[in-house]
Amino acid sequence: MKMRGFHQKILLMVMVVVAGVRGEEGGGFVTWANKYYVTWGHQPLVLNETSELQLTLDHTSGSRFESYSIYGSGSFNMRIKAPQTKSTGVITSFYIKSKSSRPDEFSFQILGSNGPPYLLNTNMFLYGEGDKDQRFRLWFDPTKDYHSYKFLWNPHQLVFYVDDTPIRVYRKNPGIYYPSVQTMFIMGSVQNRSKIDPKQTPYIAKFQASKLEGCVTTFLGIEKCTGPTFWWNRKENWQLSSREQKLYTNARKVYLDYDYCSDRKRYPKVPQECKSYS
Ligand SMILES: *[C@@H]1O[C@H](CO)[C@@H](O)[C@H](O)[C@H]1NC(C)=O
Ligand SMILES: *[C@@H]1O[C@H](CO)[C@@H](O)[C@H](O)[C@H]1NC(C)=O
C-alpha cells in the first residue's frame, strides 16, 4: 500500500507536467461545438456544428480528434458510422484516455474488412498496461448505419455498451487497480493498421456526439466527479440491471470472438485484474 501511494504521487507529478505542456499548444484546431480539436492528420469536416463530424483516411493520413474538456466520470455515447464496406486495414476508434506516463484508456475499435461480419475490438490500458483485448463479432453492419458505442464510467464499474447491450464490464474490486484516479479526455480517430486499398480511398467515418454526459473537471480534480449528484454515479449504476445482465450474458455467449483473459498462450497465468470482469 505504501508503494501504491508513492506511485500515485509520481503519477500526479507527471500529470502536472503534461498539463503544463498542453496549455501551450496552439493552432490547427477545429470547432465542433467548440469542444474538440484535431490532434493528428486531416482536418475533420464539421457536418453539423453541434453534433456531427466526418473523419477522413486516405493514402497520406488519417485523422484524430480530442476533447478540450477533461472528465472525471460520465456516460459517453458516440454514434458512429464506419467507412464503406470494403475497408480492410481501416480502424475506426472511439476512446477515453488520460494523459500521464501511466495512462488509463478504454477503447472501441471497429475493424474494417472486406465485408460482413465485422469485428469490434475493445481494449483497456490500466495504469499504463495495455493488451487487454476483448473482441466481438458485430451483429449488424457498422458501415451501413449509425450505431451507439457507449462507456459508462463511475467509481464502481466501467461498462462498454453497443446499442444498449453491455458487452464488457469491469468492476471495482478490493486490491485490484480500478481506473478512477486519473482524469480523461474523449478521443476519436480513423487510421490504417495495415495496407489499405488505394482504389477505395478516401475512407470516411462519421461521428455523432449524441449523448456525451460527463463530469467536467480540472486535470487533477477527479474528486468532485465521484458523488451521486451525477446520475451515472448513483447506486442503480453500480451494477447492471437484471435486464442488462441478461443481454450481457447472451452477448458474451454468442458474439465473443476473443478474450485475453482466456488466452493461455499469451498469458500463461490469468492476469490478476480478470477477476474484475463480471
Ligand atoms: C444539427 O444537429 C442537431 C441535433 O441533432 C439538430 O437539432 C440540428 O437541426 C442540426 N443542424 C443542422 C444544420 O443540420
Ligand atoms: C498503412 O499502414 C501500414 C503499416 O502499418 C503501412 O505499411 C502502409 O503503407 C500504410 N498506408 C497505406 C496507404 O496503406
Side-chain angles (χ1 to χ4, degrees):
M1 270 342 310
K2 257 235 157 74
M3 210 51 191
R4 167 59 58 84
F6 175 70
H7 278 311
Q8 275 177 3
K9 257 187 218 137
I10 299 233
L11 174 69
L12 289 185
M13 272 153 53
V14 173
M15 287 173 85
V16 171
V17 172
V18 173
V21 170
R22 182 175 179 266
E24 288 159 24
E25 278 171 18
F29 298 158
V30 295
T31 309
W32 184 32
N34 288 316
K35 284 179 180 157
Y36 302 88
Y37 64 101
V38 63
T39 51
W40 169 70
H42 294 301
Q43 212 45 33
L45 181 67
V46 178
L47 295 179
N48 178 329
E49 192 55 45
T50 60
S51 62
E52 192 161 356
L53 200 64
Q54 173 174 306
L55 300 191
T56 302
L57 165 70
D58 62 19
H59 63 286
T60 64
S61 180
S63 183
R64 184 189 312 126
F65 68 86
E66 179 180 312
S67 65
Y68 285 112
S69 293
I70 308 172
Y71 297 91
S73 63
S75 168
F76 306 103
N77 187 3
M78 188 71 78
R79 284 167 54 79
I80 302 171
K81 185 166 179 277
Q84 63 265 31
T85 316
K86 289 193 187 304
S87 48
T88 304
V90 178
I91 174 164
T92 307
S93 308
F94 166 45
Y95 52 116
I96 309 283
K97 188 179 180 187
S98 68
K99 293 186 185 174
S100 77
S101 57
R102 295 283 213 143
D104 290 335
E105 176 181 331
F106 334 130
S107 61
F108 286 109
Q109 297 156 342
I110 305 168
L111 308 182
S113 84
N114 204 28
Y118 291 87
L119 293 174
L120 175 73
N121 192 50
T122 62
N123 195 7
M124 288 172 67
F125 278 74
L126 294 173
Y127 199 56
E129 266 182 40
D131 286 333
K132 305 185 189 304
D133 299 285
Q134 295 187 354
R135 210 162 42 231
F136 301 83
R137 289 177 294 276
L138 283 175
W139 51 94
F140 52 79
D141 183 341
T143 71
K144 286 275 180 288
D145 297 294
Y146 287 91
H147 289 271
S148 292
Y149 304 85
K150 180 172 85 177
F151 299 106
L152 173 80
W153 173 44
N154 66 37
H156 305 274
Q157 65 170 355
L158 164 67
V159 186
F160 295 61
Y161 290 91
V162 175
D163 286 342
D164 294 326
T165 297
I167 57 167
R168 179 171 182 164
V169 182
Y170 188 78
R171 297 171 57 81
K172 188 174 172 88
N173 219 330
I176 297 179
Y177 185 81
Y178 183 82
S180 61
V181 286
Q182 307 190 39
T183 54
M184 314 281 261
F185 296 77
I186 294 174
M187 305 184 188
S189 68
V190 60
Q191 61 191 96
N192 84 309
R193 59 180 184 127
S194 60
K195 197 128 186 64
I196 53 174
D197 182 352
K199 288 195 293 288
Q200 294 290 333
T201 57
Y203 290 99
I204 308 283
K206 293 183 182 178
F207 287 74
Q208 282 178 347
S210 76
K211 263 197 162 173
L212 299 173
E213 298 176 89
C215 167
V216 175
T217 186
T218 54
F219 201 74
L220 297 176
I222 198 159
E223 271 79 23
K224 73 166 253 208
C225 294
T226 56
T229 43
F230 302 105
W231 68 261
W232 52 84
N233 289 339
R234 291 190 197 136
K235 196 139 194 192
E236 61 267 27
N237 293 307
W238 292 8
Q239 56 191 39
L240 300 182
S241 70
S242 60
R243 182 185 153 270
E244 287 178 334
Q245 187 65 48
K246 280 193 200 114
L247 290 170
Y248 173 73
T249 307
N250 182 62
R252 306 280 304 183
K253 201 167 80 194
V254 181
Y255 302 115
L256 186 67
D257 177 66
Y258 172 83
D259 182 355
Y260 79 105
C261 285
S262 42
D263 187 344
R264 287 292 74 74
K265 274 206 194 101
R266 200 162 162 201
Y267 296 100
K269 210 170 139 259
V270 181
Q272 197 206 17
E273 82 277 1
C274 287
K275 273 191 267 205
S276 296
Y277 296 104
S278 62

